[in-house]
Amino acid sequence: MQTEASIQDVSGSVVEAGASSPAKTAQRIGVPREVFPGEKRVATVPEAVEKLIKLGFKVAVESGAGDLANCSDDSYRAAGAEIISGAAALWAASDIVFKVRGPTPDEVALMHQGQTLISFIWPAQNPDLMQQLAAKKVTVLAIDALPRTLSRAQKMDALTSMAGVSGYRAVIEAANAFGRFFNGQITAAGKVPPAKVFIAGAGVAGLAAIGTAASLGAIVRANDTRAEVADQVVSLGGEFVKVDYVEEGSGGGGYAKVMSEGFQQAQRAMYAKQAQEVDIIITTALIPGKPAPKLITAEMVQSMKPGSVIVDMAGEQGGNCELTVAGEAVVRHGVTIVGYTDLASRLSKQSSTLYATNLFRLTEELCKTKDGVINVNMEDDAIRGLTVINQGSVTWPPPAPTVAPAPPPAAKPAAAPVVKKAQGHGAASEPMPGSKLAIMFGVAAALFWLIGANAPKEFMSHFTVFVLACFVGYMVVWNVKPALHTPLMSVTNAISSIIAIGALVQISPIAGAVGRPDSLITWVAAAGIVLTAINMFGGFAVTQRMLAMFRK
């Protein structure tokens, strides 16, 4: 039996062999400053620091790490974090490291065995980085490798968070480069037509761009290889432009797939037509592990109107436009082509807050015991998908997720025998014969005549009010479009109906009796009818005009 050797537990503390295991020591989460050129985001924010501490962790932040995201060192200290000067000291003191961008070779050199890194890694595109990290015997969780098909993984999905920010920012950059308003205006100086925006790709970034452009008043069109997103495009105020070619475009994990050559030809023809018509094109098309597909050719750019704008959100992966220059905004054939690769970083505060929340939710899954020590459970589908290196062993790509077998189809119940009902008690779905309907109306008319002939005068007055109330109530409330059924409109219509009925009752018995003592009531009732009619019909007319303002 070993008596002098020592072993290292998961948390990094040294335990003497043969001795009882001590209590687990809380791990320290380190947040270094991002060194990638132009990167302004930070991996956590003070609000998230407080939550991480409640999970039992210690948090250390490199001095100045959040300056570009409007998170000062003092705000981190107030939240309970320790501020450490210098990247080397921060990396050395951290058991877990939160980052935005993947580590550089210099940062990899600062890592030590047993450390855990959580960051964007892109393992398919960075095989050299994977080998360097594996050589350090560390554990790496790539936030970009999260299985997005798991519903419970949505709270950890940093790709979606960053894509939403980027889609919003793409529209802002387009508006900045565009020479006109997005919304149409009619002013004393003339009429300004609304801008026409075409968005290629209706994923998370595309949908965010659609909603932003539509809210700014532009006419928005969009296309995607996945036909099922058409309803989402329409719900955000856009028009879905179809490709004249039938092919299923959904790929694994919610992404699009590479389409056939026939589909691509039809798609290029559609893009060429849109390029001639619209003012702004925003491209978002990406396929995991492959270069960005070329959607906008140089000829399409040349066919666009002078002053038009293209925002290529796939610039970092080669671009969807042939003339895109990654990281720059260039002018080609009178068209401004924006190829910025830091769209999310240009909203650093918002992006950092969302990303910090995603990492906190991931930490909750890694530390369900809330004792400040993570457990990389390789039996958990979400954690297994994220883990690309486990204690120095490359575990990427993960195995295909296990799919539960489909339940056997339930036996169809035997059809119930059709029983014909007796004559006079037919099914409700059968239309009533015309002869029976005529008899019913005749009987009802005779009944009303008998009541009118023998009922007192007061009863007939009240009965008239009742019939009018039913008729007006039906026409004003029941017969209104569902879009107008708001509580305020319903109450307004109901009150207007009561006023109209009351005015009719007051005016009918003494119509034309101007010289009688109660003629004032007649005129007041007449004015009430006029004002009520204005309120009822004018209200609906104004509402329709308001709704028309939001239609393209």
Side-chain angles (χ1 to χ4, degrees):
M1 185 177 75
Q2 291 180 325
T3 57
E4 297 180 358
S6 62
I7 59 175
Q8 191 175 37
D9 68 359
V10 176
S11 64
S13 59
V14 177
V15 182
E16 294 295 332
S20 59
S21 299
K24 294 181 180 179
T25 303
Q27 294 179 309
R28 178 181 280 106
I29 296 174
V31 182
R33 176 163 37 184
E34 297 296 324
V35 297
F36 189 86
E39 182 58 69
K40 300 178 181 178
R41 292 172 291 179
V42 63
T44 196
V45 295
E47 295 81 4
V49 168
E50 296 177 352
K51 298 177 182 178
L52 291 170
I53 292 175
K54 289 181 180 179
L55 288 179
F57 293 95
K58 302 173 184 176
V59 180
V61 180
E62 183 182 352
S63 179
D67 287 349
L68 298 180
N70 298 320
C71 298
S72 65
D73 290 349
D74 290 339
S75 65
Y76 283 113
R77 286 194 186 93
E82 177 187 1
I83 303 299
I84 297 179
S85 299
L90 187 283
W91 284 87
S94 303
D95 303 299
I96 307 164
V97 177
F98 285 179
K99 271 186 61 61
V100 179
R101 296 271 185 171
T104 64
D106 291 339
E107 289 177 317
V108 173
L110 297 176
M111 299 185 71
H112 55 79
Q113 183 176 348
Q115 203 168 36
T116 299
L117 172 66
I118 303 177
S119 173
F120 281 101
I121 298 295
W122 304 106
Q125 291 89 341
N126 297 293
D128 293 340
L129 174 60
M130 292 285 289
Q131 293 301 320
Q132 294 171 16
L133 292 170
K136 282 289 186 175
K137 304 296 183 182
V138 297
T139 297
V140 180
L141 277 67
I143 198 70
D144 50 90
L146 179 74
R148 304 175 78 182
T149 54
L150 300 176
S151 59
R152 71 181 186 87
Q154 294 178 1
K155 61 185 178 181
M156 303 177 278
D157 191 356
L159 279 176
T160 296
S161 299
M162 297 302 101
V165 176
S166 298
Y168 173 88
R169 183 68 189 195
V171 177
I172 302 303
E173 294 295 339
N176 180 57
F178 189 50
R180 292 195 285 107
F181 297 130
F182 263 45
N183 63 322
Q185 295 187 15
I186 299 177
T187 67
K191 180 179 179 181
V192 179
K196 295 181 180 179
V197 180
F198 177 73
I199 297 172
V204 176
L207 292 174
I210 292 168
T212 305
S215 66
L216 289 176
I219 297 175
V220 184
R221 304 169 184 171
N223 169 262
D224 197 280
T225 58
R226 298 159 293 185
E228 62 268 19
V229 304
D231 291 339
Q232 301 176 39
V233 171
V234 174
S235 69
L236 290 172
E239 174 191 351
F240 188 78
V241 182
K242 295 182 179 179
V243 176
D244 191 14
Y245 195 98
V246 179
E247 183 177 348
E248 175 57 40
S250 296
Y255 294 95
K257 70 176 185 179
V258 178
M259 307 300 288
S260 67
E261 182 59 30
F263 182 92
Q264 293 182 31
Q265 289 181 0
Q267 187 182 53
R268 282 192 290 269
M270 183 270 291
Y271 283 155
K273 180 181 178 182
Q274 293 298 321
Q276 297 174 4
E277 297 179 359
V278 302
D279 304 298
I280 296 169
I281 296 178
I282 298 176
T283 64
T284 70
L286 283 174
I287 298 174
K290 297 186 179 182
K294 299 299 181 185
L295 305 178
I296 308 299
T297 64
E299 291 77 12
M300 296 180 193
V301 175
Q302 193 170 2
S303 69
M304 296 181 71
K305 292 173 286 189
S308 298
V309 178
I310 296 175
V311 179
D312 193 341
M313 296 183 62
E316 194 167 2
Q317 284 75 36
N320 296 136
C321 177
E322 289 183 349
L323 303 181
T324 297
V325 178
E328 298 181 18
V330 298
V331 179
R332 298 289 185 268
H333 307 295
V335 177
T336 302
I337 304 174
V338 179
Y340 296 150
T341 59
D342 60 345
L343 290 173
S345 182
R346 289 171 179 254
L347 287 170
S348 56
K349 177 64 174 179
Q350 183 66 75
S351 299
S352 299
T353 301
L354 295 176
Y355 185 63
T357 301
N358 294 140
L359 293 191
F360 166 69
R361 295 302 182 187
L362 171 59
T363 308
E364 279 186 322
E365 293 295 318
L366 292 170
C367 183
K368 295 183 178 180
T369 54
K370 298 183 179 181
D371 57 358
V373 178
I374 64 171
N375 174 31
V376 182
N377 181 13
M378 299 297 279
E379 300 298 323
D380 187 310
D381 287 341
I383 304 303
R384 175 63 186 88
L386 282 167
T387 307
V388 295
I389 299 176
N390 187 20
Q391 298 180 2
S393 300
V394 177
T395 58
W396 186 88
T402 56
V403 180
K412 293 183 179 181
V418 179
V419 180
K420 292 186 178 180
K421 296 186 178 181
Q423 185 72 18
H425 298 279
S429 59
E430 297 179 358
M432 181 179 294
S435 57
K436 289 186 177 181
L437 191 62
I439 293 174
M440 289 183 60
F441 273 106
V443 172
L447 182 61
F448 287 152
W449 181 83
L450 290 174
I451 293 175
N454 300 288
K457 182 178 180 181
E458 293 79 6
F459 174 81
M460 289 305 301
S461 176
H462 292 301
F463 187 72
T464 301
V465 173
F466 173 73
V467 173
L468 288 174
C470 292
F471 176 76
V472 175
Y474 174 80
M475 295 302 296
V476 173
V477 178
W478 184 266
N479 203 30
V480 173
K481 292 182 179 180
L484 304 180
H485 279 169
T486 63
L488 178 62
M489 185 62 73
S490 299
V491 172
T492 302
N493 290 338
I495 295 175
S496 300
S497 304
I498 295 171
I499 295 173
I501 294 171
L504 289 172
V505 170
Q506 291 297 327
I507 201 172
S508 56
I510 53 176
V514 179
R516 295 173 57 177
D518 52 359
S519 61
L520 178 61
I521 298 178
T522 303
W523 291 110
V524 171
I529 293 176
V530 173
L531 295 176
T532 303
I534 294 174
N535 184 33
M536 292 167 58
F537 297 103
F540 289 132
V542 171
T543 303
Q544 289 295 334
R545 292 187 62 181
M546 293 176 62
L547 293 176
M549 293 173 62
F550 297 94
R551 298 192 184 104
K552 296 289 187 293

